[in-house]
Amino acid sequence: VPKDWDQIISDATIGGTKAAAATTAVCGPLVYLLNKHHAGFRSGLGMSGKVATVVIPAVFAFWSESQFVAIRARSTIIDHQAAMSQIPTTTPWIPTFHGLPVHQAAANWLYDHPFAFVSTAGASTVTSVFLLEKLRHPEMSLSSRVMHTRVYAQGIVVSLLCGVMVFRDYMSKRGKFGEEKPSE
């Protein structure tokens, strides 16, 4: 028997509140004990960081549990309505791009533009590695940081190139998504 929407919202709120309370019951004492017994935690995080370490998991628990309750209730209502009206249930909605599922459209784009992918992914990864090295080792000189970044970047870009080559080989044998494979 389907519930009305007010009842679903109430159930979702109660379920989310219980999940948030359980998460807070675990995270709160854990943060307290870490603050009391671990000098690195005590000095490494300010008050807002410690509060966030408790609040963020609780908010996530509330959100996820309330969503799961609402989704389960909605699917129950849809199944009940379909059974009552003898309408077959539909398959889940899959996002599309140019008539293809998004992952297939992305695969076609990567097959058509491998250099754009490698250059974009390589440049952003190299920049991220350089900045990460700066954060990890602020005392390191610029020339040393550039050398470290170069070594990591070479490995990352070579891995990207190998992955794209394997992918292009697969796609050239398989054909692009959405295109009929020629008969042999």
Side-chain angles (χ1 to χ4, degrees), residues 1-2 74-86 89:
V1 178
R74 183 179 179 274
S75 65
T76 302
I77 289 172
I78 290 172
D79 290 346
H80 178 74
Q81 288 173 344
M84 296 309 277
S85 63
Q86 300 301 321
T89 58

Side-chain angles (χ1 to χ4, degrees), residues 11 63 89 100 115 130 148:
D11 291 348
W63 174 81
T89 58
L100 290 173
F115 297 112
F130 182 80
H148 280 223

Side-chain angles (χ1 to χ4, degrees), residues 1 36 67 78 80 88 100 116-117 130 141 146-147 155-157 172:
V1 178
K36 186 174 182 180
Q67 290 298 311
I78 290 172
H80 178 74
L100 290 173
F117 172 78
F130 182 80
S141 68
V146 168
M147 292 304 288
I156 291 167
V157 171
S172 66

Side-chain angles (χ1 to χ4, degrees), residues 66-131:
S66 63
Q67 290 298 311
F68 290 143
V69 168
I71 289 168
R72 282 191 300 267
R74 183 179 179 274
S75 65
T76 302
I77 289 172
I78 290 172
D79 290 346
H80 178 74
Q81 288 173 344
M84 296 309 277
S85 63
Q86 300 301 321
I87 297 172
T89 58
T90 59
T91 58
W93 177 75
I94 299 173
T96 61
F97 185 74
H98 294 293
L100 290 173
V102 173
H103 67 283
Q104 291 179 350
N108 285 348
W109 182 88
L110 179 58
Y111 180 70
D112 292 334
H113 305 94
F115 297 112
F117 172 78
V118 170
S119 60
T120 303
S124 61
T125 305
V126 169
T127 303
S128 299
V129 168
F130 182 80
L131 294 174

Side-chain angles (χ1 to χ4, degrees), residues 3-180:
K3 301 177 182 179
D4 71 324
W5 291 109
D6 292 333
Q7 184 63 41
I8 292 172
I9 291 170
S10 174
D11 291 348
T13 304
I14 290 169
T17 303
K18 287 179 183 177
T23 305
T24 304
V26 171
C27 292
L30 193 65
V31 168
Y32 173 76
L33 289 172
L34 280 170
N35 190 51
K36 186 174 182 180
H37 298 293
H38 192 278
F41 185 83
R42 189 172 37 253
S43 63
L45 282 178
M47 181 56 74
S48 63
K50 293 170 188 163
V51 170
T53 306
V54 176
V55 172
I56 289 174
V59 169
F60 177 75
F62 176 86
W63 174 81
S64 59
E65 180 60 25
S66 63
Q67 290 298 311
F68 290 143
V69 168
I71 289 168
R72 282 191 300 267
R74 183 179 179 274
S75 65
T76 302
I77 289 172
I78 290 172
D79 290 346
H80 178 74
Q81 288 173 344
M84 296 309 277
S85 63
Q86 300 301 321
I87 297 172
T89 58
T90 59
T91 58
W93 177 75
I94 299 173
T96 61
F97 185 74
H98 294 293
L100 290 173
V102 173
H103 67 283
Q104 291 179 350
N108 285 348
W109 182 88
L110 179 58
Y111 180 70
D112 292 334
H113 305 94
F115 297 112
F117 172 78
V118 170
S119 60
T120 303
S124 61
T125 305
V126 169
T127 303
S128 299
V129 168
F130 182 80
L131 294 174
L132 185 61
E133 281 294 308
K134 186 176 183 177
L135 289 175
R136 281 188 184 163
H137 307 288
E139 72 284 350
M140 189 182 292
S141 68
L142 178 62
S143 61
S144 296
R145 197 173 314 126
V146 168
M147 292 304 288
H148 280 223
T149 302
R150 182 191 62 81
V151 171
Y152 290 126
Q154 277 180 303
I156 291 167
V157 171
V158 167
S159 299
L160 279 171
L161 285 170
C162 290
V164 168
M165 286 174 25
V166 168
F167 177 77
R168 280 195 48 86
D169 184 50
Y170 166 76
M171 288 292 285
S172 66
K173 291 177 183 173
R174 186 215 172 276
K176 289 173 67 171
F177 290 102
E179 294 180 353
E180 292 290 326

